[in-house]
Every structure is written in C-alpha cells, then in structure tokens.
Amino acid sequence: MNAADEDRQQLDAASVLNAKTTLLQLLARAGVWSGDAEELIGLVEAGALALAHTEIGGSGRSAPGERGELYEAGWLDGSRAVADDLAVIAERTLRHALAPDPTVSSPDDRSPVGRAEMERAKVAVTPLYLSYTAVSDLDPDATEQVLGAVLRTMSPRQRAGYPGRLTEFTTTHHARFERLYAQYGPDSAIAIHGRYSLVHSPTSVAVLERLTAAPAALHEEWDAAELPPAWLDGLTTAWGSAA
C-alpha cells in the first residue's frame, strides 16, 4: 500500500450499514414508513452506481501516463470491464429498490402507486411548475388524484425515472410552457375554477408529458379515477394554443 492509498478514505461495509440504519431510524422518528424509506435509499444507491457507471464508461477516457499501446489497451479493457460490472450491480440494486407488489412479476409491469412514488412526483413537478408561474391554490386532494392517474400509466421502473423525463420534457418545450402559463396560469385573467383549472396546478406539467407520451393510457386512467373530463380537455386546448 502506498501513501496515496493510505490517504484515500473509504467506508467499510459495517460503516455503510451503520449510516443506512441510522438514517432509517431517523426517518422512522419523523413518521416515514420503513418501506418508503428503504425504497428511497435504494433508489439513491442505484442512482449512485448508475452515475459511477456513466463516469467510468464515458467517452474520452484515456490511460494515465505514456506507457505504450499495450498498457493503454489493457487499461481501457479493464475500465470497460469495471463499468460493465457497475451496470449490472446498478440494475440489480434498482430492481431490489423497486421491490414490486407481490402480484406484479416485474418492475416493468404496472402496480398500485405507493406513497413514496406520489411524494417523489410532487417533489419533481413543483419546482418545474414554479419556474414558470406562481404557487397553485388547487385542492391538495385533487393534486393527489391527478398525479395518481398520471403515475398509474407507468411501471415502477418508469416512475423511478420520471423526474428526469419531466425535466427533459420541460426543457424541450420551455418556450411553449412560458406561453401556456402566461395565458392561462395563476397570474393570468383565467379563473382557477373551470376547464382550465389544471393550468393552475403543478400537476399540469406531468399531465402534459403523459398527454404527449401516452395519451391513450392517460385517458383510460383519468376515466377510471372519475376525474373531470373538462380539466383534461381544457389543458389540451390551452397547450395547443400555446404552440
């Protein structure tokens, strides 16, 4: 072991487990159900592994120093092997974190929306919405009903990656979102109650993404949840006029 290795601080398995157990206990005291806490921690673990895989396997990497072609070829092969192993571990960790309902055979199948999934969706849509307009006054119960319909169009795996999908969607349609909320949002002359109610809600970001990506599934879940058809029609009309 050289001096560089001695200076490099690494956590052993017992210390990592201690930190995880401590976090679970702190979350439990705050009222977070252990299953939700385990899922969230598992997603963070899977995400850290996936990001490490991306960094190690990224393009433009080269062997350190000038030690010849054979050394460089071996170094790159080793780097790819490590990246491949990380990808496998990240996938396994993600599957374990998603731990589907016993009636669901795969994380790629649909399942009931869990509490942690609902909270993750709220955390995802709110800052995106507030980057365009003001705070919503829509009934919180309506917010959960709408997000429930949105999330039921996806599998647990898709829900886990939904914040990234929403960010990409709003980035792609940034100018259109600006026009939408300027014309129909909380700061406009349009009243919150009526067919344009959803434009006054953070859920509008998620609903619009689903209307674009999976309209048939969204309409099916919308009807099953007995949500007002006028909300969906009004948001569709507003989105079209903002194009």
Side-chain angles (χ1 to χ4, degrees):
M1 179 180 293
N2 57 36
D5 292 329
E6 292 177 353
D7 290 338
R8 193 177 294 127
Q9 180 65 42
Q10 294 181 338
L11 292 178
D12 54 66
S15 298
V16 172
L17 180 59
N18 172 268
K20 181 176 180 179
T21 303
T22 302
L23 180 56
L24 286 170
Q25 291 181 2
L26 290 172
L27 290 172
R29 293 172 195 168
V32 180
W33 180 57
S34 60
D36 290 340
E38 287 274 10
E39 179 182 330
L40 291 170
I41 293 172
L43 289 176
V44 172
E45 291 173 339
L49 289 165
L51 291 173
H53 163 257
T54 300
E55 183 173 347
I56 292 176
S59 59
R61 291 181 61 85
S62 59
E66 297 291 337
R67 303 190 183 182
E69 293 183 3
L70 287 178
Y71 177 87
E72 182 174 358
W75 189 92
L76 291 174
D77 286 342
S79 179
R80 280 191 291 267
V82 171
D84 290 343
D85 285 345
L86 274 175
V88 172
I89 298 172
E91 168 67 17
R92 185 170 66 239
T93 304
L94 178 59
R95 283 182 170 273
H96 179 73
L98 295 176
D101 183 276
T103 62
V104 180
S105 60
S106 167
D108 296 313
D109 295 333
R110 292 191 198 178
S111 68
V113 177
R115 181 169 53 182
E117 291 175 320
M118 179 67 73
E119 291 304 317
R120 293 205 311 268
K122 291 178 184 177
V123 170
V125 298
T126 300
L128 293 173
Y129 175 80
L130 293 179
S131 68
Y132 294 104
T133 188
V135 177
S136 166
D137 291 324
L138 192 67
D139 183 352
D141 289 339
T143 294
E144 293 217 351
Q145 291 170 359
V146 171
L147 282 180
V150 166
L151 293 172
R152 282 192 295 274
T153 67
M154 293 176 275
S155 69
R157 182 188 295 274
Q158 290 171 324
R159 294 170 197 163
Y162 196 46
R165 180 186 290 270
L166 286 173
T167 300
E168 181 180 357
F169 181 73
T170 55
T171 299
T172 300
H173 300 284
H174 177 74
R176 193 173 180 182
F177 270 105
E178 286 187 326
R179 291 191 293 270
L180 172 74
Y181 292 117
Q183 295 174 31
Y184 298 93
D187 292 330
S188 72
I190 302 296
I192 184 173
H193 298 295
R195 69 195 306 256
Y196 298 112
S197 293
L198 279 190
V199 191
H200 292 250
S201 167
T203 62
S204 55
V205 177
V207 173
L208 286 170
E209 189 281 330
R210 289 289 87 189
L211 278 172
T212 302
L218 178 63
H219 279 89
E220 178 183 341
E221 295 297 342
W222 198 270
D223 292 341
E226 299 182 345
L227 288 163
W231 286 3
L232 203 55
D233 293 341
L235 185 59
T236 302
T237 299
W239 184 244
S241 70

